[in-house]
Amino acid sequence: MKKLYFFVLVAFFAVNSWAYVIDGSDDGLYSDYNIFNFGQSFTTVAAGEITEIRISAAGGVTNTTMRIFTGEGVSEIYSQAVSFTGESQYSIVLTTPVAVNASTFYSFIFDQASLSYASPGLYADGRMIYSGTWLSGYDLWFQVTIEEDAPLPITLSSFTAAFSNGASLLNWTTQSESNN
């Protein structure tokens, strides 16, 4: 049991990145099939790395390429082959995380896909691309996970952990603290 406590403690202090999700997963979905250049634009909140994009596939079998762009299809910064095999929500874990800046417009576009979308779209910081045309008032069902680099707001000058009489005893001294 003491190994678990120590592991949890070390993991807490070793992890210095946090994730946030840009969520455009609306209800009231429509679906279209085998549409070319089907995607969504979005605006980042903080700098970090895109690690995952979730979408709702409308069915059928699709082997396609997902591309990530700055702006609305302005400059391609990433591409990855993906495959969907039916109507479901899919998690696309990027093989290489994509660095993004804070408060910046990006988009992901599938060369060809059968996806679910909402109208009216409720995601205010982007819009859907459908057959190569950007449409206001429509959004794909999507979620973009971005891991941001956020160091702990403290600097430790000393830290000790001990397991005694069935309990963990932690002692530390901070050298500096910010936003506390």
Side-chain angles (χ1 to χ4, degrees), residues 30 32 35 37-42 72 105 107-109 115-119 121 123 125-142:
Y30 300 92
D32 270 332
I35 304 300
N37 296 322
F38 208 171
Q40 177 74 38
S41 61
F42 59 94
E72 289 185 329
F105 215 42
S107 55
F108 61 90
I109 301 173
L115 302 174
S116 299
Y117 63 93
S119 174
Y123 178 69
D125 294 324
R127 57 189 181 155
M128 182 176 78
I129 185 171
Y130 182 94
S131 291
T133 301
W134 290 101
L135 302 173
S136 297
Y138 294 84
D139 290 305
L140 287 183
W141 186 105
F142 77 99

PDB file of all heavy atoms in Angstrom, residues 30 32 35 37-42 72 105 107-109 115-119 121 123 125-142:
ATOM      1  N   TYR A  30     -27.924  16.127 -37.233  1.00  0.00           N
ATOM      2  CA  TYR A  30     -28.240  15.681 -38.580  1.00  0.00           C
ATOM      3  C   TYR A  30     -27.011  14.937 -39.083  1.00  0.00           C
ATOM      4  O   TYR A  30     -25.931  15.068 -38.514  1.00  0.00           O
ATOM      5  CB  TYR A  30     -28.526  16.871 -39.502  1.00  0.00           C
ATOM      6  CG  TYR A  30     -29.679  17.720 -39.049  1.00  0.00           C
ATOM      7  CD1 TYR A  30     -29.465  18.825 -38.236  1.00  0.00           C
ATOM      8  CD2 TYR A  30     -30.980  17.408 -39.432  1.00  0.00           C
ATOM      9  CE1 TYR A  30     -30.525  19.608 -37.816  1.00  0.00           C
ATOM     10  CE2 TYR A  30     -32.047  18.182 -39.003  1.00  0.00           C
ATOM     11  CZ  TYR A  30     -31.818  19.284 -38.200  1.00  0.00           C
ATOM     12  OH  TYR A  30     -32.857  20.050 -37.780  1.00  0.00           O
ATOM     13  N   ASP A  32     -24.807  13.653 -42.755  1.00  0.00           N
ATOM     14  CA  ASP A  32     -24.629  13.596 -44.192  1.00  0.00           C
ATOM     15  C   ASP A  32     -23.493  12.626 -44.492  1.00  0.00           C
ATOM     16  O   ASP A  32     -22.581  12.453 -43.684  1.00  0.00           O
ATOM     17  CB  ASP A  32     -24.321  14.969 -44.781  1.00  0.00           C
ATOM     18  CG  ASP A  32     -25.592  15.718 -45.174  1.00  0.00           C
ATOM     19  OD1 ASP A  32     -26.596  15.049 -45.488  1.00  0.00           O
ATOM     20  OD2 ASP A  32     -25.574  16.946 -45.147  1.00  0.00           O
ATOM     21  N   ILE A  35     -19.230  13.277 -47.698  1.00  0.00           N
ATOM     22  CA  ILE A  35     -19.050  14.677 -48.057  1.00  0.00           C
ATOM     23  C   ILE A  35     -17.555  14.960 -48.139  1.00  0.00           C
ATOM     24  O   ILE A  35     -16.789  14.575 -47.251  1.00  0.00           O
ATOM     25  CB  ILE A  35     -19.714  15.611 -47.021  1.00  0.00           C
ATOM     26  CG1 ILE A  35     -21.188  15.265 -46.863  1.00  0.00           C
ATOM     27  CG2 ILE A  35     -19.515  17.077 -47.392  1.00  0.00           C
ATOM     28  CD1 ILE A  35     -22.015  15.381 -48.118  1.00  0.00           C
ATOM     29  N   ASN A  37     -14.305  17.455 -47.989  1.00  0.00           N
ATOM     30  CA  ASN A  37     -13.931  18.656 -47.225  1.00  0.00           C
ATOM     31  C   ASN A  37     -14.968  19.001 -46.156  1.00  0.00           C
ATOM     32  O   ASN A  37     -15.626  20.026 -46.203  1.00  0.00           O
ATOM     33  CB  ASN A  37     -13.699  19.846 -48.160  1.00  0.00           C
ATOM     34  CG  ASN A  37     -12.533  19.596 -49.084  1.00  0.00           C
ATOM     35  OD1 ASN A  37     -11.532  19.020 -48.686  1.00  0.00           O
ATOM     36  ND2 ASN A  37     -12.660  20.024 -50.318  1.00  0.00           N
ATOM     37  N   PHE A  38     -15.110  18.101 -45.193  1.00  0.00           N
ATOM     38  CA  PHE A  38     -16.078  18.201 -44.107  1.00  0.00           C
ATOM     39  C   PHE A  38     -15.282  18.437 -42.828  1.00  0.00           C
ATOM     40  O   PHE A  38     -14.405  17.639 -42.487  1.00  0.00           O
ATOM     41  CB  PHE A  38     -16.834  16.880 -44.014  1.00  0.00           C
ATOM     42  CG  PHE A  38     -18.230  16.939 -43.468  1.00  0.00           C
ATOM     43  CD1 PHE A  38     -19.029  15.809 -43.534  1.00  0.00           C
ATOM     44  CD2 PHE A  38     -18.758  18.075 -42.883  1.00  0.00           C
ATOM     45  CE1 PHE A  38     -20.322  15.809 -43.043  1.00  0.00           C
ATOM     46  CE2 PHE A  38     -20.054  18.096 -42.387  1.00  0.00           C
ATOM     47  CZ  PHE A  38     -20.836  16.956 -42.471  1.00  0.00           C
ATOM     48  N   GLY A  39     -15.530  19.522 -42.105  1.00  0.00           N
ATOM     49  CA  GLY A  39     -14.743  19.786 -40.907  1.00  0.00           C
ATOM     50  C   GLY A  39     -15.314  20.897 -40.059  1.00  0.00           C
ATOM     51  O   GLY A  39     -16.465  21.301 -40.209  1.00  0.00           O
ATOM     52  N   GLN A  40     -14.471  21.429 -39.172  1.00  0.00           N
ATOM     53  CA  GLN A  40     -14.902  22.414 -38.179  1.00  0.00           C
ATOM     54  C   GLN A  40     -13.738  23.325 -37.830  1.00  0.00           C
ATOM     55  O   GLN A  40     -12.601  22.876 -37.694  1.00  0.00           O
ATOM     56  CB  GLN A  40     -15.374  21.692 -36.906  1.00  0.00           C
ATOM     57  CG  GLN A  40     -15.786  22.577 -35.778  1.00  0.00           C
ATOM     58  CD  GLN A  40     -17.137  23.256 -36.016  1.00  0.00           C
ATOM     59  OE1 GLN A  40     -18.042  22.659 -36.571  1.00  0.00           O
ATOM     60  NE2 GLN A  40     -17.250  24.501 -35.596  1.00  0.00           N
ATOM     61  N   SER A  41     -14.046  24.612 -37.661  1.00  0.00           N
ATOM     62  CA  SER A  41     -13.043  25.532 -37.125  1.00  0.00           C
ATOM     63  C   SER A  41     -13.331  25.761 -35.650  1.00  0.00           C
ATOM     64  O   SER A  41     -14.456  25.557 -35.185  1.00  0.00           O
ATOM     65  CB  SER A  41     -13.051  26.852 -37.897  1.00  0.00           C
ATOM     66  OG  SER A  41     -14.299  27.503 -37.791  1.00  0.00           O
ATOM     67  N   PHE A  42     -12.309  26.171 -34.910  1.00  0.00           N
ATOM     68  CA  PHE A  42     -12.441  26.387 -33.468  1.00  0.00           C
ATOM     69  C   PHE A  42     -11.387  27.384 -33.023  1.00  0.00           C
ATOM     70  O   PHE A  42     -10.415  27.633 -33.732  1.00  0.00           O
ATOM     71  CB  PHE A  42     -12.317  25.071 -32.694  1.00  0.00           C
ATOM     72  CG  PHE A  42     -11.011  24.360 -32.904  1.00  0.00           C
ATOM     73  CD1 PHE A  42      -9.954  24.556 -32.027  1.00  0.00           C
ATOM     74  CD2 PHE A  42     -10.830  23.504 -33.975  1.00  0.00           C
ATOM     75  CE1 PHE A  42      -8.741  23.907 -32.221  1.00  0.00           C
ATOM     76  CE2 PHE A  42      -9.621  22.843 -34.179  1.00  0.00           C
ATOM     77  CZ  PHE A  42      -8.577  23.047 -33.297  1.00  0.00           C
ATOM     78  N   GLU A  72      -9.092  29.003 -41.047  1.00  0.00           N
ATOM     79  CA  GLU A  72     -10.080  28.146 -41.711  1.00  0.00           C
ATOM     80  C   GLU A  72      -9.474  27.585 -42.991  1.00  0.00           C
ATOM     81  O   GLU A  72      -9.704  28.085 -44.088  1.00  0.00           O
ATOM     82  CB  GLU A  72     -11.371  28.922 -41.981  1.00  0.00           C
ATOM     83  CG  GLU A  72     -12.127  29.208 -40.700  1.00  0.00           C
ATOM     84  CD  GLU A  72     -13.474  29.874 -40.926  1.00  0.00           C
ATOM     85  OE1 GLU A  72     -13.633  30.630 -41.907  1.00  0.00           O
ATOM     86  OE2 GLU A  72     -14.357  29.633 -40.094  1.00  0.00           O
ATOM     87  N   PHE A 105      -7.306  30.833 -34.060  1.00  0.00           N
ATOM     88  CA  PHE A 105      -8.261  30.105 -34.874  1.00  0.00           C
ATOM     89  C   PHE A 105      -7.568  28.940 -35.568  1.00  0.00           C
ATOM     90  O   PHE A 105      -6.531  29.129 -36.213  1.00  0.00           O
ATOM     91  CB  PHE A 105      -8.808  31.086 -35.908  1.00  0.00           C
ATOM     92  CG  PHE A 105     -10.239  30.902 -36.262  1.00  0.00           C
ATOM     93  CD1 PHE A 105     -11.208  30.637 -35.319  1.00  0.00           C
ATOM     94  CD2 PHE A 105     -10.633  31.013 -37.588  1.00  0.00           C
ATOM     95  CE1 PHE A 105     -12.534  30.500 -35.666  1.00  0.00           C
ATOM     96  CE2 PHE A 105     -11.954  30.879 -37.948  1.00  0.00           C
ATOM     97  CZ  PHE A 105     -12.901  30.622 -36.986  1.00  0.00           C
ATOM     98  N   SER A 107      -8.547  24.799 -37.582  1.00  0.00           N
ATOM     99  CA  SER A 107      -9.619  23.964 -38.115  1.00  0.00           C
ATOM    100  C   SER A 107      -9.082  22.565 -38.371  1.00  0.00           C
ATOM    101  O   SER A 107      -7.890  22.358 -38.549  1.00  0.00           O
ATOM    102  CB  SER A 107     -10.179  24.558 -39.414  1.00  0.00           C
ATOM    103  OG  SER A 107      -9.157  24.762 -40.372  1.00  0.00           O
ATOM    104  N   PHE A 108     -10.012  21.601 -38.316  1.00  0.00           N
ATOM    105  CA  PHE A 108      -9.692  20.245 -38.755  1.00  0.00           C
ATOM    106  C   PHE A 108     -10.679  19.902 -39.865  1.00  0.00           C
ATOM    107  O   PHE A 108     -11.865  20.226 -39.802  1.00  0.00           O
ATOM    108  CB  PHE A 108      -9.735  19.227 -37.603  1.00  0.00           C
ATOM    109  CG  PHE A 108     -11.063  19.088 -36.926  1.00  0.00           C
ATOM    110  CD1 PHE A 108     -12.004  18.162 -37.365  1.00  0.00           C
ATOM    111  CD2 PHE A 108     -11.378  19.873 -35.829  1.00  0.00           C
ATOM    112  CE1 PHE A 108     -13.229  18.039 -36.736  1.00  0.00           C
ATOM    113  CE2 PHE A 108     -12.594  19.746 -35.181  1.00  0.00           C
ATOM    114  CZ  PHE A 108     -13.530  18.827 -35.642  1.00  0.00           C
ATOM    115  N   ILE A 109     -10.158  19.284 -40.920  1.00  0.00           N
ATOM    116  CA  ILE A 109     -10.970  18.987 -42.094  1.00  0.00           C
ATOM    117  C   ILE A 109     -10.659  17.568 -42.550  1.00  0.00           C
ATOM    118  O   ILE A 109      -9.494  17.177 -42.654  1.00  0.00           O
ATOM    119  CB  ILE A 109     -10.683  19.991 -43.239  1.00  0.00           C
ATOM    120  CG1 ILE A 109     -10.985  21.420 -42.775  1.00  0.00           C
ATOM    121  CG2 ILE A 109     -11.495  19.638 -44.488  1.00  0.00           C
ATOM    122  CD1 ILE A 109     -10.577  22.499 -43.767  1.00  0.00           C
ATOM    123  N   LEU A 115     -20.331  12.485 -41.347  1.00  0.00           N
ATOM    124  CA  LEU A 115     -20.284  12.992 -39.978  1.00  0.00           C
ATOM    125  C   LEU A 115     -21.622  13.562 -39.536  1.00  0.00           C
ATOM    126  O   LEU A 115     -22.487  13.868 -40.355  1.00  0.00           O
ATOM    127  CB  LEU A 115     -19.209  14.072 -39.856  1.00  0.00           C
ATOM    128  CG  LEU A 115     -17.790  13.660 -40.222  1.00  0.00           C
ATOM    129  CD1 LEU A 115     -16.862  14.866 -40.194  1.00  0.00           C
ATOM    130  CD2 LEU A 115     -17.288  12.576 -39.290  1.00  0.00           C
ATOM    131  N   SER A 116     -21.772  13.720 -38.222  1.00  0.00           N
ATOM    132  CA  SER A 116     -22.978  14.308 -37.639  1.00  0.00           C
ATOM    133  C   SER A 116     -22.721  15.772 -37.317  1.00  0.00           C
ATOM    134  O   SER A 116     -21.635  16.143 -36.893  1.00  0.00           O
ATOM    135  CB  SER A 116     -23.358  13.557 -36.360  1.00  0.00           C
ATOM    136  OG  SER A 116     -23.634  12.205 -36.652  1.00  0.00           O
ATOM    137  N   TYR A 117     -23.756  16.602 -37.503  1.00  0.00           N
ATOM    138  CA  TYR A 117     -23.628  18.026 -37.232  1.00  0.00           C
ATOM    139  C   TYR A 117     -24.931  18.562 -36.660  1.00  0.00           C
ATOM    140  O   TYR A 117     -25.962  17.887 -36.676  1.00  0.00           O
ATOM    141  CB  TYR A 117     -23.234  18.792 -38.502  1.00  0.00           C
ATOM    142  CG  TYR A 117     -24.249  18.734 -39.616  1.00  0.00           C
ATOM    143  CD1 TYR A 117     -25.220  19.719 -39.751  1.00  0.00           C
ATOM    144  CD2 TYR A 117     -24.225  17.700 -40.539  1.00  0.00           C
ATOM    145  CE1 TYR A 117     -26.153  19.674 -40.774  1.00  0.00           C
ATOM    146  CE2 TYR A 117     -25.143  17.645 -41.559  1.00  0.00           C
ATOM    147  CZ  TYR A 117     -26.107  18.623 -41.679  1.00  0.00           C
ATOM    148  OH  TYR A 117     -27.023  18.567 -42.693  1.00  0.00           O
ATOM    149  N   ALA A 118     -24.869  19.762 -36.135  1.00  0.00           N
ATOM    150  CA  ALA A 118     -26.036  20.394 -35.523  1.00  0.00           C
ATOM    151  C   ALA A 118     -26.375  21.691 -36.240  1.00  0.00           C
ATOM    152  O   ALA A 118     -25.497  22.408 -36.706  1.00  0.00           O
ATOM    153  CB  ALA A 118     -25.768  20.675 -34.053  1.00  0.00           C
ATOM    154  N   SER A 119     -27.662  21.952 -36.325  1.00  0.00           N
ATOM    155  CA  SER A 119     -28.145  23.227 -36.850  1.00  0.00           C
ATOM    156  C   SER A 119     -29.381  23.611 -36.061  1.00  0.00           C
ATOM    157  O   SER A 119     -30.340  22.846 -36.045  1.00  0.00           O
ATOM    158  CB  SER A 119     -28.481  23.114 -38.329  1.00  0.00           C
ATOM    159  OG  SER A 119     -29.063  24.320 -38.774  1.00  0.00           O
ATOM    160  N   GLY A 121     -25.984  25.469 -34.842  1.00  0.00           N
ATOM    161  CA  GLY A 121     -24.816  25.092 -34.055  1.00  0.00           C
ATOM    162  C   GLY A 121     -24.696  26.018 -32.852  1.00  0.00           C
ATOM    163  O   GLY A 121     -24.945  27.216 -32.952  1.00  0.00           O
ATOM    164  N   TYR A 123     -21.836  26.186 -30.886  1.00  0.00           N
ATOM    165  CA  TYR A 123     -20.452  26.561 -30.633  1.00  0.00           C
ATOM    166  C   TYR A 123     -20.189  27.904 -31.305  1.00  0.00           C
ATOM    167  O   TYR A 123     -20.236  28.021 -32.530  1.00  0.00           O
ATOM    168  CB  TYR A 123     -19.489  25.479 -31.137  1.00  0.00           C
ATOM    169  CG  TYR A 123     -18.040  25.843 -30.928  1.00  0.00           C
ATOM    170  CD1 TYR A 123     -17.512  25.894 -29.644  1.00  0.00           C
ATOM    171  CD2 TYR A 123     -17.232  26.172 -31.990  1.00  0.00           C
ATOM    172  CE1 TYR A 123     -16.190  26.248 -29.439  1.00  0.00           C
ATOM    173  CE2 TYR A 123     -15.909  26.523 -31.809  1.00  0.00           C
ATOM    174  CZ  TYR A 123     -15.398  26.562 -30.527  1.00  0.00           C
ATOM    175  OH  TYR A 123     -14.099  26.920 -30.323  1.00  0.00           O
ATOM    176  N   ASP A 125     -17.440  29.907 -31.363  1.00  0.00           N
ATOM    177  CA  ASP A 125     -16.092  30.328 -31.762  1.00  0.00           C
ATOM    178  C   ASP A 125     -15.551  29.581 -32.964  1.00  0.00           C
ATOM    179  O   ASP A 125     -14.349  29.351 -33.076  1.00  0.00           O
ATOM    180  CB  ASP A 125     -15.146  30.187 -30.567  1.00  0.00           C
ATOM    181  CG  ASP A 125     -15.504  31.137 -29.446  1.00  0.00           C
ATOM    182  OD1 ASP A 125     -15.928  32.264 -29.726  1.00  0.00           O
ATOM    183  OD2 ASP A 125     -15.363  30.742 -28.273  1.00  0.00           O
ATOM    184  N   GLY A 126     -16.439  29.175 -33.866  1.00  0.00           N
ATOM    185  CA  GLY A 126     -16.020  28.484 -35.069  1.00  0.00           C
ATOM    186  C   GLY A 126     -17.238  28.165 -35.918  1.00  0.00           C
ATOM    187  O   GLY A 126     -18.364  28.532 -35.585  1.00  0.00           O
ATOM    188  N   ARG A 127     -17.005  27.468 -37.027  1.00  0.00           N
ATOM    189  CA  ARG A 127     -18.108  27.070 -37.888  1.00  0.00           C
ATOM    190  C   ARG A 127     -17.719  25.835 -38.679  1.00  0.00           C
ATOM    191  O   ARG A 127     -16.555  25.439 -38.705  1.00  0.00           O
ATOM    192  CB  ARG A 127     -18.539  28.214 -38.788  1.00  0.00           C
ATOM    193  CG  ARG A 127     -17.438  28.773 -39.662  1.00  0.00           C
ATOM    194  CD  ARG A 127     -17.877  30.033 -40.360  1.00  0.00           C
ATOM    195  NE  ARG A 127     -16.803  30.532 -41.196  1.00  0.00           N
ATOM    196  CZ  ARG A 127     -16.982  31.296 -42.245  1.00  0.00           C
ATOM    197  NH1 ARG A 127     -18.202  31.648 -42.592  1.00  0.00           N
ATOM    198  NH2 ARG A 127     -15.960  31.728 -42.948  1.00  0.00           N
ATOM    199  N   MET A 128     -18.701  25.244 -39.329  1.00  0.00           N
ATOM    200  CA  MET A 128     -18.511  23.992 -40.052  1.00  0.00           C
ATOM    201  C   MET A 128     -18.148  24.273 -41.508  1.00  0.00           C
ATOM    202  O   MET A 128     -18.639  25.223 -42.108  1.00  0.00           O
ATOM    203  CB  MET A 128     -19.811  23.183 -39.998  1.00  0.00           C
ATOM    204  CG  MET A 128     -19.743  21.837 -40.674  1.00  0.00           C
ATOM    205  SD  MET A 128     -21.279  20.892 -40.475  1.00  0.00           S
ATOM    206  CE  MET A 128     -22.327  21.669 -41.696  1.00  0.00           C
ATOM    207  N   ILE A 129     -17.284  23.402 -42.058  1.00  0.00           N
ATOM    208  CA  ILE A 129     -17.027  23.426 -43.500  1.00  0.00           C
ATOM    209  C   ILE A 129     -17.724  22.211 -44.094  1.00  0.00           C
ATOM    210  O   ILE A 129     -17.624  21.093 -43.574  1.00  0.00           O
ATOM    211  CB  ILE A 129     -15.513  23.439 -43.846  1.00  0.00           C
ATOM    212  CG1 ILE A 129     -15.318  23.587 -45.356  1.00  0.00           C
ATOM    213  CG2 ILE A 129     -14.798  22.233 -43.269  1.00  0.00           C
ATOM    214  CD1 ILE A 129     -13.888  23.818 -45.791  1.00  0.00           C
ATOM    215  N   TYR A 130     -18.477  22.451 -45.152  1.00  0.00           N
ATOM    216  CA  TYR A 130     -19.297  21.421 -45.786  1.00  0.00           C
ATOM    217  C   TYR A 130     -19.078  21.524 -47.288  1.00  0.00           C
ATOM    218  O   TYR A 130     -19.368  22.561 -47.885  1.00  0.00           O
ATOM    219  CB  TYR A 130     -20.765  21.672 -45.420  1.00  0.00           C
ATOM    220  CG  TYR A 130     -21.749  20.667 -45.945  1.00  0.00           C
ATOM    221  CD1 TYR A 130     -22.137  19.593 -45.161  1.00  0.00           C
ATOM    222  CD2 TYR A 130     -22.310  20.799 -47.206  1.00  0.00           C
ATOM    223  CE1 TYR A 130     -23.063  18.681 -45.617  1.00  0.00           C
ATOM    224  CE2 TYR A 130     -23.224  19.890 -47.686  1.00  0.00           C
ATOM    225  CZ  TYR A 130     -23.604  18.827 -46.887  1.00  0.00           C
ATOM    226  OH  TYR A 130     -24.512  17.911 -47.343  1.00  0.00           O
ATOM    227  N   SER A 131     -18.516  20.482 -47.868  1.00  0.00           N
ATOM    228  CA  SER A 131     -18.194  20.473 -49.307  1.00  0.00           C
ATOM    229  C   SER A 131     -17.365  21.685 -49.718  1.00  0.00           C
ATOM    230  O   SER A 131     -17.586  22.304 -50.756  1.00  0.00           O
ATOM    231  CB  SER A 131     -19.474  20.415 -50.151  1.00  0.00           C
ATOM    232  OG  SER A 131     -20.086  19.166 -50.006  1.00  0.00           O
ATOM    233  N   GLY A 132     -16.431  22.070 -48.836  1.00  0.00           N
ATOM    234  CA  GLY A 132     -15.525  23.158 -49.144  1.00  0.00           C
ATOM    235  C   GLY A 132     -16.059  24.545 -48.870  1.00  0.00           C
ATOM    236  O   GLY A 132     -15.381  25.530 -49.133  1.00  0.00           O
ATOM    237  N   THR A 133     -17.287  24.653 -48.329  1.00  0.00           N
ATOM    238  CA  THR A 133     -17.880  25.957 -48.036  1.00  0.00           C
ATOM    239  C   THR A 133     -18.040  26.118 -46.530  1.00  0.00           C
ATOM    240  O   THR A 133     -18.613  25.240 -45.865  1.00  0.00           O
ATOM    241  CB  THR A 133     -19.272  26.089 -48.708  1.00  0.00           C
ATOM    242  OG1 THR A 133     -19.108  25.918 -50.117  1.00  0.00           O
ATOM    243  CG2 THR A 133     -19.903  27.439 -48.423  1.00  0.00           C
ATOM    244  N   TRP A 134     -17.544  27.229 -45.983  1.00  0.00           N
ATOM    245  CA  TRP A 134     -17.689  27.503 -44.547  1.00  0.00           C
ATOM    246  C   TRP A 134     -19.093  28.012 -44.283  1.00  0.00           C
ATOM    247  O   TRP A 134     -19.546  28.968 -44.910  1.00  0.00           O
ATOM    248  CB  TRP A 134     -16.644  28.522 -44.096  1.00  0.00           C
ATOM    249  CG  TRP A 134     -15.272  27.942 -44.115  1.00  0.00           C
ATOM    250  CD1 TRP A 134     -14.327  28.124 -45.079  1.00  0.00           C
ATOM    251  CD2 TRP A 134     -14.704  27.070 -43.155  1.00  0.00           C
ATOM    252  NE1 TRP A 134     -13.194  27.404 -44.775  1.00  0.00           N
ATOM    253  CE2 TRP A 134     -13.398  26.748 -43.585  1.00  0.00           C
ATOM    254  CE3 TRP A 134     -15.167  26.515 -41.962  1.00  0.00           C
ATOM    255  CZ2 TRP A 134     -12.563  25.899 -42.877  1.00  0.00           C
ATOM    256  CZ3 TRP A 134     -14.328  25.668 -41.248  1.00  0.00           C
ATOM    257  CH2 TRP A 134     -13.047  25.370 -41.709  1.00  0.00           C
ATOM    258  N   LEU A 135     -19.808  27.352 -43.354  1.00  0.00           N
ATOM    259  CA  LEU A 135     -21.202  27.672 -43.053  1.00  0.00           C
ATOM    260  C   LEU A 135     -21.354  28.181 -41.628  1.00  0.00           C
ATOM    261  O   LEU A 135     -21.037  27.473 -40.674  1.00  0.00           O
ATOM    262  CB  LEU A 135     -22.082  26.438 -43.231  1.00  0.00           C
ATOM    263  CG  LEU A 135     -22.068  25.785 -44.612  1.00  0.00           C
ATOM    264  CD1 LEU A 135     -22.850  24.479 -44.585  1.00  0.00           C
ATOM    265  CD2 LEU A 135     -22.641  26.733 -45.652  1.00  0.00           C
ATOM    266  N   SER A 136     -21.833  29.387 -41.461  1.00  0.00           N
ATOM    267  CA  SER A 136     -22.151  29.916 -40.136  1.00  0.00           C
ATOM    268  C   SER A 136     -23.471  29.303 -39.684  1.00  0.00           C
ATOM    269  O   SER A 136     -24.355  29.028 -40.498  1.00  0.00           O
ATOM    270  CB  SER A 136     -22.266  31.439 -40.181  1.00  0.00           C
ATOM    271  OG  SER A 136     -21.026  32.001 -40.547  1.00  0.00           O
ATOM    272  N   GLY A 137     -23.606  29.081 -38.381  1.00  0.00           N
ATOM    273  CA  GLY A 137     -24.842  28.526 -37.846  1.00  0.00           C
ATOM    274  C   GLY A 137     -24.888  27.012 -37.844  1.00  0.00           C
ATOM    275  O   GLY A 137     -25.883  26.421 -37.450  1.00  0.00           O
ATOM    276  N   TYR A 138     -23.820  26.358 -38.294  1.00  0.00           N
ATOM    277  CA  TYR A 138     -23.724  24.899 -38.293  1.00  0.00           C
ATOM    278  C   TYR A 138     -22.424  24.511 -37.596  1.00  0.00           C
ATOM    279  O   TYR A 138     -21.410  25.187 -37.744  1.00  0.00           O
ATOM    280  CB  TYR A 138     -23.688  24.331 -39.713  1.00  0.00           C
ATOM    281  CG  TYR A 138     -24.954  24.536 -40.491  1.00  0.00           C
ATOM    282  CD1 TYR A 138     -25.184  25.725 -41.169  1.00  0.00           C
ATOM    283  CD2 TYR A 138     -25.910  23.534 -40.551  1.00  0.00           C
ATOM    284  CE1 TYR A 138     -26.347  25.912 -41.898  1.00  0.00           C
ATOM    285  CE2 TYR A 138     -27.080  23.713 -41.274  1.00  0.00           C
ATOM    286  CZ  TYR A 138     -27.290  24.905 -41.945  1.00  0.00           C
ATOM    287  OH  TYR A 138     -28.429  25.094 -42.653  1.00  0.00           O
ATOM    288  N   ASP A 139     -22.467  23.417 -36.848  1.00  0.00           N
ATOM    289  CA  ASP A 139     -21.265  22.894 -36.202  1.00  0.00           C
ATOM    290  C   ASP A 139     -21.275  21.380 -36.239  1.00  0.00           C
ATOM    291  O   ASP A 139     -22.331  20.755 -36.071  1.00  0.00           O
ATOM    292  CB  ASP A 139     -21.199  23.329 -34.728  1.00  0.00           C
ATOM    293  CG  ASP A 139     -20.941  24.810 -34.578  1.00  0.00           C
ATOM    294  OD1 ASP A 139     -19.952  25.289 -35.143  1.00  0.00           O
ATOM    295  OD2 ASP A 139     -21.742  25.471 -33.894  1.00  0.00           O
ATOM    296  N   LEU A 140     -20.100  20.794 -36.442  1.00  0.00           N
ATOM    297  CA  LEU A 140     -19.964  19.353 -36.263  1.00  0.00           C
ATOM    298  C   LEU A 140     -20.140  19.013 -34.792  1.00  0.00           C
ATOM    299  O   LEU A 140     -19.953  19.863 -33.916  1.00  0.00           O
ATOM    300  CB  LEU A 140     -18.564  18.882 -36.677  1.00  0.00           C
ATOM    301  CG  LEU A 140     -18.222  18.839 -38.147  1.00  0.00           C
ATOM    302  CD1 LEU A 140     -16.819  18.269 -38.327  1.00  0.00           C
ATOM    303  CD2 LEU A 140     -19.219  18.018 -38.933  1.00  0.00           C
ATOM    304  N   TRP A 141     -20.452  17.745 -34.511  1.00  0.00           N
ATOM    305  CA  TRP A 141     -20.357  17.244 -33.147  1.00  0.00           C
ATOM    306  C   TRP A 141     -18.867  16.975 -32.977  1.00  0.00           C
ATOM    307  O   TRP A 141     -18.293  16.129 -33.658  1.00  0.00           O
ATOM    308  CB  TRP A 141     -21.158  15.956 -32.989  1.00  0.00           C
ATOM    309  CG  TRP A 141     -21.227  15.465 -31.588  1.00  0.00           C
ATOM    310  CD1 TRP A 141     -22.306  15.553 -30.763  1.00  0.00           C
ATOM    311  CD2 TRP A 141     -20.196  14.809 -30.833  1.00  0.00           C
ATOM    312  NE1 TRP A 141     -22.006  15.005 -29.542  1.00  0.00           N
ATOM    313  CE2 TRP A 141     -20.712  14.541 -29.553  1.00  0.00           C
ATOM    314  CE3 TRP A 141     -18.884  14.440 -31.082  1.00  0.00           C
ATOM    315  CZ2 TRP A 141     -19.985  13.911 -28.551  1.00  0.00           C
ATOM    316  CZ3 TRP A 141     -18.149  13.825 -30.094  1.00  0.00           C
ATOM    317  CH2 TRP A 141     -18.695  13.564 -28.854  1.00  0.00           C
ATOM    318  N   PHE A 142     -18.205  17.743 -32.091  1.00  0.00           N
ATOM    319  CA  PHE A 142     -16.760  17.583 -31.952  1.00  0.00           C
ATOM    320  C   PHE A 142     -16.298  17.958 -30.553  1.00  0.00           C
ATOM    321  O   PHE A 142     -16.970  18.705 -29.833  1.00  0.00           O
ATOM    322  CB  PHE A 142     -16.010  18.441 -32.981  1.00  0.00           C
ATOM    323  CG  PHE A 142     -15.966  19.910 -32.631  1.00  0.00           C
ATOM    324  CD1 PHE A 142     -14.840  20.456 -32.033  1.00  0.00           C
ATOM    325  CD2 PHE A 142     -17.037  20.737 -32.873  1.00  0.00           C
ATOM    326  CE1 PHE A 142     -14.793  21.801 -31.701  1.00  0.00           C
ATOM    327  CE2 PHE A 142     -17.005  22.085 -32.556  1.00  0.00           C
ATOM    328  CZ  PHE A 142     -15.877  22.617 -31.961  1.00  0.00           C
TER     329      PHE A 142
END
